[in-house]
Amino acid sequence: LAGAGTGKTRAITHRIAHGVHTGVYAPTEVLAVTFTTRAAGELRQRLRQLGAPGVQARTFHSAALRQLRYFWPHVHGSELPTLTESKLAMLAAATRRTGLRADQALLRDLASEIEWAKVSNVGPDDYPRIAAQHSRGVSDHPPETVGKVFSSYEDVKREQGRMDMEDVLLFTAGVLASDERVAAQVRRQYKWFVVDEFQDVSPLQSALLDLWLGGRDELCVVGDPAQTIYSFAGADATYLLDFPKRYPGTTSIELVRNYRSTPQVVASNTLLEGGPSAGVELRSQQVAGSAVRFVGHPDEVAEASFVADQVAALQRKGTPPGRIAVLFRINAQSEHFEDALSDRGIPYVVR
C-alpha cells in the first residue's frame, strides 16, 4: 500500500531487479503489468538502468494482445478479428438497427457504458438487471434500451470481423480458460507477476490475472485506494483492499514517506479520513511550505476570473509566467481560463 509520492515505482523496480540479480527470477519469466503505455515504458526504462532489461513490462491490453495474436490462430484456425480503437461507427450502425436516434454525445456515452459492462463481465442480456442494481444508465434511456443497443453492437462487430479493446481481455481470458495447453504454455513462460496501480484493476483484469497465475501466488501488487481514478470505467479498489483475504500468506508493506510534497500539501489526506478511499497516512519528508488555500466561487466564469487575477498579481511581483501553472480536471474546463487570461493579456500554453 503506497501513498502518492512515496516512490512505489522505485520500490517495485528495485524489487524486480534484486530478484534478477540474486538469481531468484529469470528476467524473461517476469511479467510486470500496469495501466498505461507511458507507465509501462517507464518501468522498462528503469529496469534497463537497473540491469534487468529482459523483463516484460506491459499494459494489461498489450500483454493480452501479444498472447492472443500468437494463440488465436492455433486454437480457432482463423485470423484474429481486427482490433478497432473506437466503437462509435459500429455503435452508430447498432443504434440505427434498434431505431434509436443518436448524436455523437449519445454515442460516446453508450460507448463508455458498454466498456463498463464488458470490463465488469456484464453481458447484454444481464445489463438491464445489473444496471438497475448499480443505478447506472445513459441519459434518459431505460436500461432495456441500452441492453438492446449493446446486443446489436456485438452483432455488428462480429459481422464486420472486428474486436474492441475489451474483447482483447475477454478473448484472452476465454482462450486461457478453455484450452489447458495454452494456459500451461503461458504459465511456463511467466512465473512471477508484478502489478502496478492495482487500485485501478477491473473485474475482467482481475479474472485474467487469476488465469495467468493458475493458482500460484508469486504475485506482488502495489497501489493506493486514495488514487482510484477509473471506477467510472469498472475499476474496483476492493481488489487491492481485500488482497490479504484472497491471499492469506500476503506480506503487507505500507509506504508512507512522501518525498514529493510539503507537509501542508500532504495534510490534505485528512479530507479522505473515514471514507472508502482512505489510504495510508502519509508523512512528508519535505521542509514546510506555504499553506493550502481554498476559495469557493459561484460558477466557472467567476473561478477563472479569480485565477487570472491571481496569475496577474504573481507576475507583477516578478514571478516568471513559466513558473505558474493552472491545473484543471478535463480539457473542457480550459476555455474559461483561456478567456480570462487572454482578457488580461497574459500569455499561456495549454497542455
Coordinates of all heavy atoms in Angstrom, one line a residue, residues 70-71 73-76 175-189:
Y70 N -0.7 -14.7 -30.9 CA 0.0 -15.9 -31.1 C -0.9 -17.1 -31.0 O -0.8 -18.1 -31.9 CB 1.1 -16.0 -30.0 CG 2.0 -17.3 -30.2 CD1 3.0 -17.4 -31.1 CD2 1.7 -18.4 -29.3 CE1 3.7 -18.5 -31.2 CE2 2.5 -19.6 -29.5 CZ 3.5 -19.6 -30.4 OH 4.2 -20.8 -30.6
F71 N -1.8 -17.2 -30.0 CA -2.5 -18.4 -29.8 C -3.8 -18.5 -30.6 O -4.3 -19.6 -30.8 CB -2.8 -18.5 -28.3 CG -1.6 -18.8 -27.4 CD1 -1.1 -17.9 -26.5 CD2 -1.0 -20.1 -27.6 CE1 0.0 -18.2 -25.8 CE2 0.2 -20.4 -26.8 CZ 0.6 -19.4 -25.9
P73 N -4.8 -18.1 -33.8 CA -4.9 -19.0 -35.0 C -4.7 -20.4 -34.7 O -5.3 -21.3 -35.3 CB -3.7 -18.4 -35.8 CG -3.4 -17.1 -35.3 CD -3.8 -17.1 -33.8
H74 N -3.9 -20.8 -33.6 CA -3.7 -22.2 -33.3 C -5.0 -22.8 -32.7 O -5.3 -24.0 -32.9 CB -2.6 -22.3 -32.2 CG -1.2 -21.9 -32.8 ND1 -0.5 -22.6 -33.7 CD2 -0.5 -20.8 -32.5 CE1 0.6 -21.9 -34.0 NE2 0.7 -20.9 -33.2
V75 N -5.7 -22.0 -31.9 CA -6.9 -22.5 -31.2 C -8.1 -22.5 -32.1 O -8.9 -23.5 -32.1 CB -7.2 -21.7 -29.9 CG1 -8.5 -22.1 -29.3 CG2 -6.0 -21.8 -28.9
H76 N -8.3 -21.4 -32.9 CA -9.5 -21.3 -33.7 C -9.3 -21.6 -35.2 O -10.3 -21.7 -35.9 CB -10.1 -19.9 -33.5 CG -10.6 -19.6 -32.1 ND1 -11.8 -20.1 -31.6 CD2 -10.0 -18.9 -31.1 CE1 -11.9 -19.7 -30.4 NE2 -10.9 -19.0 -30.0
V175 N -9.6 -17.9 -24.1 CA -8.6 -18.9 -24.6 C -7.9 -19.6 -23.5 O -7.8 -20.9 -23.5 CB -7.6 -18.2 -25.5 CG1 -6.4 -19.2 -25.8 CG2 -8.3 -17.8 -26.9
L176 N -7.5 -18.9 -22.5 CA -6.8 -19.5 -21.3 C -7.7 -20.4 -20.5 O -7.3 -21.4 -20.0 CB -6.2 -18.4 -20.4 CG -5.1 -17.5 -21.0 CD1 -4.8 -16.3 -20.1 CD2 -3.8 -18.4 -21.1
A177 N -9.0 -20.0 -20.4 CA -9.9 -20.8 -19.6 C -10.3 -22.1 -20.3 O -10.6 -23.1 -19.7 CB -11.1 -19.9 -19.2
S178 N -10.4 -22.0 -21.6 CA -10.9 -23.2 -22.4 C -9.9 -24.1 -22.9 O -10.2 -25.3 -23.3 CB -11.8 -22.6 -23.6 OG -11.0 -21.9 -24.5
D179 N -8.6 -23.7 -23.0 CA -7.6 -24.6 -23.6 C -6.4 -24.7 -22.6 O -5.6 -23.8 -22.5 CB -7.1 -23.9 -24.9 CG -6.3 -24.9 -25.8 OD1 -5.4 -25.6 -25.2 OD2 -6.6 -25.1 -27.0
E180 N -6.4 -25.9 -22.0 CA -5.4 -26.1 -21.0 C -4.0 -26.1 -21.5 O -3.0 -25.7 -20.8 CB -5.7 -27.5 -20.3 CG -4.9 -27.7 -19.0 CD -5.2 -26.5 -18.0 OE1 -6.4 -26.1 -17.8 OE2 -4.2 -26.0 -17.4
R181 N -3.8 -26.5 -22.8 CA -2.4 -26.4 -23.4 C -1.9 -25.0 -23.5 O -0.8 -24.7 -23.2 CB -2.4 -27.1 -24.7 CG -2.7 -28.6 -24.7 CD -2.9 -29.1 -26.1 NE -4.0 -28.3 -26.8 CZ -4.3 -28.4 -28.1 NH1 -3.6 -29.1 -28.9 NH2 -5.3 -27.7 -28.6
V182 N -2.8 -24.1 -23.9 CA -2.4 -22.7 -24.0 C -2.1 -22.1 -22.6 O -1.1 -21.5 -22.4 CB -3.5 -21.8 -24.6 CG1 -3.2 -20.4 -24.6 CG2 -3.7 -22.3 -26.1
A183 N -3.0 -22.4 -21.6 CA -2.8 -21.9 -20.3 C -1.4 -22.4 -19.7 O -0.7 -21.7 -19.1 CB -3.9 -22.4 -19.4
A184 N -1.1 -23.7 -20.0 CA 0.1 -24.3 -19.5 C 1.3 -23.6 -20.1 O 2.3 -23.3 -19.4 CB 0.1 -25.8 -19.7
Q185 N 1.2 -23.3 -21.4 CA 2.4 -22.7 -22.1 C 2.6 -21.2 -21.6 O 3.7 -20.8 -21.3 CB 2.1 -22.6 -23.6 CG 3.3 -22.2 -24.4 CD 3.1 -22.5 -25.9 OE1 2.3 -23.3 -26.3 NE2 3.8 -21.8 -26.7
V186 N 1.5 -20.5 -21.3 CA 1.6 -19.1 -20.8 C 2.2 -19.2 -19.4 O 3.1 -18.4 -19.0 CB 0.3 -18.4 -20.8 CG1 0.4 -17.1 -20.0 CG2 -0.2 -18.1 -22.2
R187 N 1.8 -20.1 -18.6 CA 2.3 -20.2 -17.2 C 3.7 -20.7 -17.1 O 4.4 -20.4 -16.2 CB 1.3 -21.1 -16.4 CG 0.0 -20.5 -16.1 CD -1.1 -21.5 -15.7 NE -2.4 -20.9 -15.8 CZ -3.5 -21.6 -15.8 NH1 -3.5 -22.9 -15.7 NH2 -4.7 -21.0 -15.9
R188 N 4.1 -21.5 -18.1 CA 5.6 -21.8 -18.2 C 6.4 -20.6 -18.5 O 7.5 -20.4 -18.0 CB 5.8 -22.9 -19.2 CG 5.5 -24.3 -18.7 CD 6.1 -25.4 -19.6 NE 5.7 -25.3 -21.0 CZ 4.6 -25.8 -21.5 NH1 3.8 -26.6 -20.7 NH2 4.2 -25.7 -22.8
Q189 N 5.9 -19.8 -19.4 CA 6.6 -18.5 -19.8 C 6.7 -17.5 -18.7 O 7.8 -17.0 -18.4 CB 5.8 -17.9 -21.0 CG 6.3 -16.5 -21.3 CD 7.6 -16.4 -22.0 OE1 7.7 -17.0 -23.1 NE2 8.6 -15.7 -21.4

